[in-house]
Amino acid sequence: MNAKADLHLHTTYSDGALSPYELVKKAKAAGLEIISITDHDSVGAFDEAIEIGKEFDVEVIPGVELSATLDDLEVHILGYFFDYQDKTLLESLAVFREKRLRRAERIVDKLNRMNIPIKIESVLANAAGNSVGRPHIASVLVSEGHAESFHQAFNKYIGNGRPAYERKEEFSPEDTARLISEAGGLSFLAHPGRAISELLLERLIRSGLDGIEVTHPSHTPELVRYYRGIVNEYFLIECGGSDFHGGLKGDEHLLGRIGISSETVDIMRRRLLPN
Ligand code: AMP
Ligand code: ZN
Ligand code: FE
Ligand code: FE
């Protein structure tokens, strides 16, 4: 399938490898007409991306990827079409980024206690003042010879449940959905994958989300059908994208291949119209 819209992309404003300029240019070359950059806890790419989008004739929708906790499970929530200058939203994003910094320090401490002497300074240099995440730590582990690959760094050390893993601070799905909706946007459960029981899914739906990310590289055709069914059953809307990180995760081939149609984006827009 060749998608016209990809609403899940990362740049150097969080843990992606490409700048907004490089990403928009690549998106255009891959045949995309509508994109959203959904950096973790940051909308820093938006101003730049919208300008470059005009140059390349690519529509750029404001987006963000947030993390929330339900019981013991970390879920990701995507926000779209919000006012990206909303003061409360920007303040919350700054708090989330600060918490990411503290968590990166805790992960590096754990690694140091495991006799892996990487420095927080190297991780932060890698993140270059932007939203710091585990991929920045993984890159240091690889470049300093403590892991053979990005994936091995996650599998051995910092992946969920691995020895140097540290959780994010708790923020509820309700509060996340409210933050986005009060900034005028729509919120979606990102890539639920196989990890979520129908019971948890129902609780998440009731927490105020507008929809579910149905198309995502981690979803098999069966999962795509399953979540599309849930979307219809609960009168939700769907979104989708490649979760492209700029080639960091061997995801180079995904751009332009995984996403949604422009008609699906129109359905999102109609949800925003006043009743
Ligand atoms: P963080 O927001 O710091 O928890 O980092 C999450 C990001 O790390 C995800 O968006 C992915 O880009 C990446 N990631 C998580 N798990 C893995 C994994 N097992 N292998 C490669 N990348 C991963
Ligand atoms: Zn990421
Ligand atoms: Fe995610
Ligand atoms: Fe993502």
Side-chain angles (χ1 to χ4, degrees):
M1 187 203 64
N2 280 334
K4 289 284 180 249
D6 184 336
L7 302 191
H8 194 157
L9 300 162
H10 294 270
T11 72
T12 46
Y13 279 90
S14 64
D15 54 8
L18 303 181
S19 68
Y21 176 82
E22 293 165 320
L23 180 65
V24 174
K25 203 171 149 205
K26 255 192 195 299
K28 178 69 183 180
L32 293 166
E33 294 171 358
I34 307 172
I35 64 166
S36 183
I37 294 173
T38 50
D39 277 314
H40 304 278
D41 301 327
S42 171
V43 293
F46 188 71
D47 273 330
E48 212 174 317
I50 200 156
E51 281 312 306
I52 302 151
K54 282 180 195 152
E55 196 180 311
F56 286 98
D57 195 26
V58 174
E59 182 186 352
V60 184
I61 291 166
V64 73
E65 183 169 15
L66 304 176
S67 306
T69 310
L70 181 65
D71 294 346
D72 266 349
L73 189 69
E74 180 184 320
V75 294
H76 290 175
I77 290 174
L78 293 159
Y80 298 110
F81 291 110
F82 47 80
D83 169 10
Y84 74 100
Q85 289 169 326
D86 181 90
K87 208 164 157 276
T88 311
L89 177 69
L90 291 178
E91 280 168 9
S92 300
L93 295 180
V95 170
F96 298 153
R97 290 197 299 271
E98 179 66 26
K99 288 182 173 172
R100 283 179 165 275
L101 210 58
R102 301 281 94 80
R103 170 179 176 248
E105 287 167 351
R106 294 200 304 275
I107 293 177
V108 169
D109 276 347
K110 271 193 166 170
L111 288 166
N112 291 167
R113 277 183 266 126
M114 293 165 69
N115 289 323
I116 296 159
I118 69 164
K119 289 194 164 61
I120 186 69
E121 290 76 15
S122 322
V123 173
L124 298 186
N126 214 347
N130 294 310
S131 190
V132 63
R134 284 179 289 162
H136 299 113
I137 302 174
S139 295
V140 174
L141 286 169
V142 173
S143 68
E144 298 188 4
H146 304 291
E148 279 164 25
S149 67
F150 203 75
H151 284 282
Q152 202 197 47
F154 274 90
N155 289 337
K156 265 174 95 170
Y157 303 116
I158 59 174
N160 295 31
R162 310 311 296 167
Y165 176 68
E166 276 285 313
R167 305 163 60 110
K168 294 201 183 99
E169 279 186 45
E170 296 208 359
F171 197 67
S172 74
E174 284 83 0
D175 289 343
T176 312
R178 190 176 316 116
L179 187 62
I180 294 165
S181 91
E182 284 180 354
L186 298 172
S187 59
F188 293 75
L189 176 63
H191 49 70
R194 290 191 189 285
I196 282 184
S197 68
E198 196 155 343
L199 202 67
L200 277 187
L201 196 58
E202 277 200 16
R203 281 174 61 195
L204 284 163
I205 292 167
R206 279 201 297 271
S207 66
L209 299 174
D210 299 286
I212 296 175
E213 185 179 43
V214 171
T215 35
H216 183 271
S218 68
H219 288 175
T220 59
E222 291 71 34
L223 277 181
V224 169
R225 275 196 294 278
Y226 171 70
Y227 285 118
R228 194 159 283 146
I230 297 277
V231 160
N232 292 329
E233 205 177 316
Y234 290 86
F235 299 101
L236 300 169
I237 45 180
E238 73 173 83
C239 69
S242 66
D243 209 352
F244 180 58
H245 280 69
L248 258 182
K249 301 197 290 178
D251 52 7
E252 199 71 69
H253 61 291
L254 293 175
L255 208 59
R257 305 277 300 280
I258 293 198
I260 54 177
S261 65
S262 50
E263 288 76 19
T264 304
V265 182
D266 290 336
I267 294 173
M268 295 169 75
R269 288 187 225 273
R270 284 202 287 276
R271 269 293 156 114
L272 289 162
L273 294 174
N275 291 316

